[in-house]
Amino acid sequence: MTRLNKMINNNEIMLGIFALLLFISFSFASSYFFRLGNLMQLTAQLVELGLLTLAMSASIISGGMDLSIGAMTSLSTVLLAIFMGTMGLNMWVSILLAFLIAMICGALNGFLCGFLKINSMLATLGTQALFTGIGLVISKGVTIQCFREEFFFFGQGRIGGLLPFQTVILILAATLSVLLISNSIWGRRIYLIGSSPEAARFAGINQEWNIMLVYIYSALMSFICAIIVTSRISGGRADVADPLVLQSVSAAVFGGISITGGSGNILGAMIGVIIFTLVSNGMNMMGASQFLQQIIIGSILLAVLIFRYFTKKQ
Amino acid sequence: MKSRKLVLSIILLIAFTLSLAACGQDQGTGTDKGSESKGTIAVLNYVSSAPYFACGEEKAIQAGKDAGYDVIYTGTPEVDTPKFISLIQDMIQKDVKALCVASGDSTSVVPVLKEAREKGIKVVSWDLDVAEEGRDLYAGIMDLAELGVPMVEEMVKTIGDEGEFAIITGVLTNEFLQARINRILEYIEEKYPKLECVAVEGMDEDPEKCFAVAQNIIAAYPNIKAIMSNVSTGMGPIGKAIEQEGMIGKIYVTGQSTPNLAKPVFESGAAESAVLWDPGDWAAFAVKAAINLVEGADMPQGKVNIEGFPDATREGDLLYFWKTLVFTKDNVDDFDF
C-alpha cells in the first residue's frame, strides 16, 4: 500500500503512466497512429514546444515568467532568414550573428528582471512587444524566404532517413537542462530564489547574476527553437512562434512546475509536452475535430490539477 | 486515500473514453452507406474558428461525396503555423489522396507540401496561393488583389469619390491581404485621386480588437468618411463602433463581409453594401480540381470543364472560377453563410 502511495505521489511516474495509456489507446483507436513513419514524425512534433517549455520552465522555477520567448524565437527566425536568404551570408556566420543578437535579447530580459527587479511578467511583456516590433519592422510584416539546402537539415533532416534531426537536438537540450537545472549549483540556487527570495538573500546568493543566467538560458533555448522553425518553414516571420508561449506555460504547469516558482522539475515538464503532442497527433489520426482537441487538452489539464490538489492535501 | 483513488480512476476513465470515441471516429470516416469510397481528400485552412472557413465545410464535403470521395475539412483553430504544418504532416500519414491547403503565407508550408508531393499526394492551394514548388495547381476565384477594385467601386457608390478613408485588415503579416491593399491604393491613385487612405490597421482576426481599432480610427481622424474592411469578419465590429460613436450617416463601413455578418450592419445603416464570394463554392472548386488531378482528368489551358463552375478557366497552373458577390440590404437575405 505504501508503495502504491509513493507511486501516486510521484508526479513524473503518474504522468508517464498517463502518457503510456494515451499511447496505447491511440494505437488501438487509429490504424494510422502506430506506424513507424507517424511515430518518428510525432517525435519531431515535440521539438518546438519542447524547447520553449524548457525555456519557460526555467523562468517559472526562478519565480518569474518569460513571456518574450515566442517573440525572441520569431525575431531570430526573421534574422536568420534575412542573413541567409536575403543577404546570402554563410550559414555559420548567420547563425553566429543571430545567436549574438538572441543573447543580447536574453541579457536585456535578465537585466530588467535580475538587476532592476522589475516584475518579470511586465518586463518580458514589454520586451516581447519590442522584439515583435523589431521583427515586424525589419521583415516589413511579411514572411522572409530562406531556401538554403544546407540549412534544411536542422528542421527537415532525417538521420539514417528515419530519425528526425530536431528530435536529437531536443534530447540533447533536455539532457543539458536536466543537468543544469536539476543537478547543478546554479540550478539549486534558482530553485531557492524561486521558492524564497528572502532565504536566498540570507544564504548569500547573488540573485542578480543567477536571474540573469536564467533569462540567457531562456534566450538560448528560444534561439535553438528558432533554428529549427526557420529550417522547417524555409523562412522567418515576426509572429511565427507566438502561439507557443501560452502552450509552453500549460505544458510546464501540467508537468508539475509550480506556477509560484521553486518546485517541479524539467523531466515532468517534458512529459507534459509529450502528452500534449500525443493528444494532438493521435486525435488527428482518429479524424477528431480540432475543436474537440482543445476540449480534451483542457479537460486533461484540469483533471491533473485537481488530482494534484487532492494528493497534496493528504 | 479514497479521493486519491477516485481521481486516479477519473484519469483512467478519460483515457478509456478517448479510445472509445476514437473507435467510433475511425469507422465513421471510412465507408458510409455501403458505398465504397475512392479515397480521402483533406481540405485544410489556417484558422478554422473563423466563420469564413467554417462555412465552407458543407459544400466541400458535398463536392467530394458527389465524386465518391471522403473529405476531411479541418484546420488549426487559431493562427499557429508550427501546428498547421504538423496537421498537414498528420494528413500525409493518413494516406490522403490529395491536400487542398489554405495557408496564411505563401512559403512556410512549402517544405511539407513538397514532402507530400514526393509521396504522390496531389496538392491544390486555395485561398492564398503558395510558392509553385509546393503545389500542383492553385484554385482561385480570380487574382484576388483584383477584388480590391469592386471594393473601391462599392465604397465610391456609398461615400462619393473624395475624402478620407482607412483600411482595417486581418493580420498585418498576411501577404495576400497586403497585396490587395497595394492594389486598392494603386487603383484609387489612378482613378479617384481625391480619395485618401489615412491608415491601415490590423485586427488579428479578433472581432474585439477590430472594434477597438475602429474606435481609435474614428477618434483619431475626425474627417474620415469610410472604414474599409479587408477581411470578411471586420464589417460587424466596425459597424458597431460607428453606431456606438453616434456616427451613423457620417461614417460608413465598406469592403468585405459574409452576408450573415453584414445583415445587422445594413440594418443599423452603417453600411450600404459588401463585397465577397461564396467560400463554400471556393472550397468545393478546390476539391473538384484536386479530384481531377487524382483521377488524371484532362484540364487544358483556357476554358476548363469543371462540373458546377461554367466560367472556370486555367492560365498556367492557376485555375479560376470567376464568381464574386455584392450584397446589399435587398439581396442579403437570399444568402446564408
Side-chain angles (χ1 to χ4, degrees):
Chain A
M1 216 49 207
T2 46
R3 194 180 292 168
L4 181 69
N5 271 348
K6 261 188 189 162
M7 245 177 75
I8 292 176
N9 280 325
N10 185 316
N11 180 47
E12 286 75 49
I13 291 179
M14 281 309 293
L15 286 175
I17 292 173
F18 185 47
L20 195 66
L21 280 175
L22 276 176
F23 186 85
I24 294 168
S25 307
F26 284 130
S27 300
F28 282 108
S30 168
S31 47
Y32 302 107
F33 180 80
F34 194 74
R35 283 185 184 177
L36 192 59
N38 185 51
L39 298 181
M40 286 296 129
Q41 179 185 294
L42 182 62
T43 65
Q45 289 175 354
L46 295 168
V47 176
E48 286 142 17
L49 181 60
L51 287 167
L52 289 194
T53 303
L54 290 173
M56 186 57 86
S57 301
S59 61
I60 294 179
I61 287 172
S62 77
M65 189 179 284
D66 187 350
L67 294 176
S68 72
I69 53 177
M72 268 193 289
T73 305
S74 305
L75 175 60
S76 298
T77 70
V78 170
L79 291 170
L80 285 166
I82 285 184
F83 292 150
M84 272 186 283
T86 316
M87 297 165 63
L89 297 182
N90 173 283
M91 180 176 84
W92 296 108
V93 173
S94 308
I95 291 177
L96 181 68
L97 284 176
F99 171 75
L100 290 175
I101 297 173
M103 290 304 104
I104 294 171
C105 293
L108 175 62
N109 281 334
F111 177 72
L112 295 172
C113 304
F115 287 83
L116 299 189
K117 305 261 190 313
I118 299 173
N119 176 294
S120 67
M121 271 212 241
L122 301 180
T124 55
L125 208 55
T127 53
Q128 178 233 358
L130 176 68
F131 301 152
T132 303
I134 295 173
L136 278 171
V137 168
I138 59 180
S139 69
K140 300 188 182 69
V142 298
T143 306
I144 307 285
Q145 294 188 30
C146 168
F147 286 107
R148 286 279 283 265
E149 290 289 339
E150 78 266 34
F151 186 66
F152 285 166
F153 189 68
F154 291 100
Q156 299 176 43
R158 299 262 169 146
I159 295 170
L162 198 64
L163 182 66
F165 182 64
Q166 70 254 50
T167 306
V168 179
I169 296 183
L170 178 66
I171 293 170
L172 291 176
T175 312
L176 175 75
S177 303
V178 169
L179 289 176
L180 278 178
I181 292 168
S182 306
N183 297 304
S184 76
I185 296 171
W186 171 63
R188 261 170 271 149
R189 283 181 181 156
I190 66 165
Y191 271 97
L192 185 57
I193 294 171
S195 62
S196 168
E198 289 290 300
R201 193 172 325 129
F202 285 122
I205 291 171
N206 181 332
Q207 291 197 36
E208 286 80 3
W209 280 104
N210 284 300
I211 292 291
M212 170 66 94
L213 286 177
V214 167
Y215 287 88
I216 286 189
Y217 162 85
S218 170
L220 173 68
M221 291 300 143
S222 306
F223 178 71
I224 298 173
C225 180
I227 290 184
I228 288 159
V229 173
T230 313
S231 169
R232 191 151 87 112
I233 72 173
S234 316
R237 206 178 69 216
D239 60 358
V240 67
D242 291 0
L244 290 170
V245 179
L246 287 182
Q247 290 172 32
S248 73
V249 178
S250 311
V253 172
F254 182 79
I257 307 257
S258 161
I259 200 77
T260 51
S263 76
N265 76 46
I266 295 294
L267 185 64
M270 286 297 102
I271 302 176
V273 173
I274 290 173
I275 290 175
F276 279 19
T277 312
L278 261 178
V279 169
S280 168
N281 176 272
M283 291 187 73
N284 283 342
M285 289 303 140
M286 281 161 33
S289 104
Q290 291 285 320
F291 304 125
L292 187 61
Q293 286 187 26
Q294 300 206 319
I295 294 178
I296 298 289
I297 294 260
S299 310
I300 293 176
L301 184 56
L302 287 176
V304 167
L305 294 179
I306 292 167
F307 173 71
R308 232 172 253 151
Y309 169 79
F310 280 112
T311 48
K312 270 229 179 96
K313 221 177 157 191
Q314 295 173 352
Chain B
M1 195 60 231
K2 236 181 207 168
S3 56
R4 217 175 283 179
K5 274 189 179 159
L6 179 80
V7 185
L8 182 64
S9 31
I10 290 174
I11 292 184
L12 287 173
L13 199 68
I14 290 180
F16 184 65
T17 323
L18 259 178
S19 62
L20 278 188
C23 296
Q25 293 276 358
D26 236 11
Q27 285 156 5
T29 52
T31 52
D32 61 5
K33 291 171 199 148
S35 64
E36 200 60 37
S37 166
K38 292 193 208 164
T40 303
I41 296 186
V43 184
L44 307 171
N45 65 72
Y46 67 100
V47 44
S48 60
S49 60
Y52 172 77
F53 282 119
C55 69
E57 180 164 8
E58 206 176 305
K59 283 191 174 177
I61 289 174
Q62 190 59 45
K65 211 184 234 172
D66 290 346
Y69 289 84
D70 290 318
V71 170
I72 301 175
Y73 190 92
T74 185
T76 49
E78 310 293 334
V79 181
D80 183 343
T81 309
K83 197 161 187 200
F84 188 56
I85 292 171
S86 297
L87 181 61
I88 297 175
Q89 288 174 327
D90 289 348
M91 291 301 137
I92 297 172
Q93 291 298 329
K94 290 191 78 168
D95 298 338
V96 295
K97 297 261 189 219
L99 291 163
C100 300
V101 178
S103 167
D105 69 73
S106 64
T107 52
S108 59
V109 291
V110 170
V112 66
L113 293 182
K114 271 162 98 179
E115 193 185 316
R117 292 179 70 196
E118 278 159 20
K119 291 191 169 144
I121 296 170
K122 300 292 178 194
V123 179
V124 173
S125 54
W126 63 290
D127 197 54
L128 169 69
D129 193 9
V130 303
E132 271 176 32
E133 59 268 40
R135 47 84 171 147
D136 294 283
L137 286 174
Y138 169 64
I141 305 175
M142 52 201 235
D143 180 351
L144 272 183
E146 291 302 318
L147 194 76
V149 173
M151 282 160 66
V152 171
E153 290 296 343
E154 287 301 315
M155 180 172 77
V156 169
K157 275 189 204 161
T158 307
I159 66 164
D161 62 358
E162 57 183 300
E164 292 180 358
F165 73 100
I167 297 173
I168 294 183
T169 187
V171 181
L172 279 173
T173 52
N174 186 314
E175 295 158 31
F176 153 65
L177 298 176
Q178 205 59 44
R180 185 157 58 225
I181 292 170
N182 293 339
R183 180 69 185 114
I184 289 170
L185 299 179
E186 204 181 282
Y187 184 73
I188 60 166
E189 196 182 308
E190 201 176 285
K191 203 166 168 205
Y192 302 108
K194 287 180 183 163
L195 281 173
E196 187 195 353
C197 177
V198 290
V200 176
E201 302 275 351
M203 54 90 100
D204 299 335
E205 314 289 352
D206 173 358
E208 278 163 37
K209 181 165 180 193
C210 184
F211 178 78
V213 168
Q215 275 186 321
N216 292 344
I217 290 176
I218 293 168
Y221 302 98
N223 298 323
I224 203 155
K225 288 167 85 176
I227 300 174
M228 181 190 273
S229 172
N230 195 27
V231 287
S232 62
T233 48
M235 196 173 250
I238 299 170
K240 236 182 251 162
I242 292 175
E243 196 179 343
Q244 191 165 314
E245 301 296 311
M247 289 295 178
I248 299 270
K250 294 184 191 122
I251 302 176
Y252 290 91
V253 51
T254 67
Q256 288 183 22
S257 180
T258 63
N260 285 349
L261 293 171
K263 274 172 205 170
V265 191
F266 290 154
E267 270 162 32
S268 77
E272 292 184 346
S273 68
V275 181
L276 201 72
W277 51 84
D278 183 344
D281 279 346
W282 198 349
F285 184 63
V287 170
K288 296 238 157 128
I291 290 172
N292 275 358
L293 282 173
V294 169
E295 299 188 340
D298 190 31
M299 285 190 281
Q301 297 290 325
K303 263 210 152 316
V304 182
N305 185 19
I306 291 179
E307 192 202 335
F309 298 93
D311 299 324
T313 62
R314 173 174 184 169
E315 303 162 29
D317 292 334
L318 312 176
L319 289 176
Y320 293 129
F321 70 94
W322 301 100
K323 205 168 140 195
T324 57
L325 296 170
V326 173
F327 309 112
T328 62
K329 63 176 181 304
D330 299 325
N331 75 356
V332 72
D333 292 319
D334 302 342
F335 302 95
D336 185 25
F337 66 86

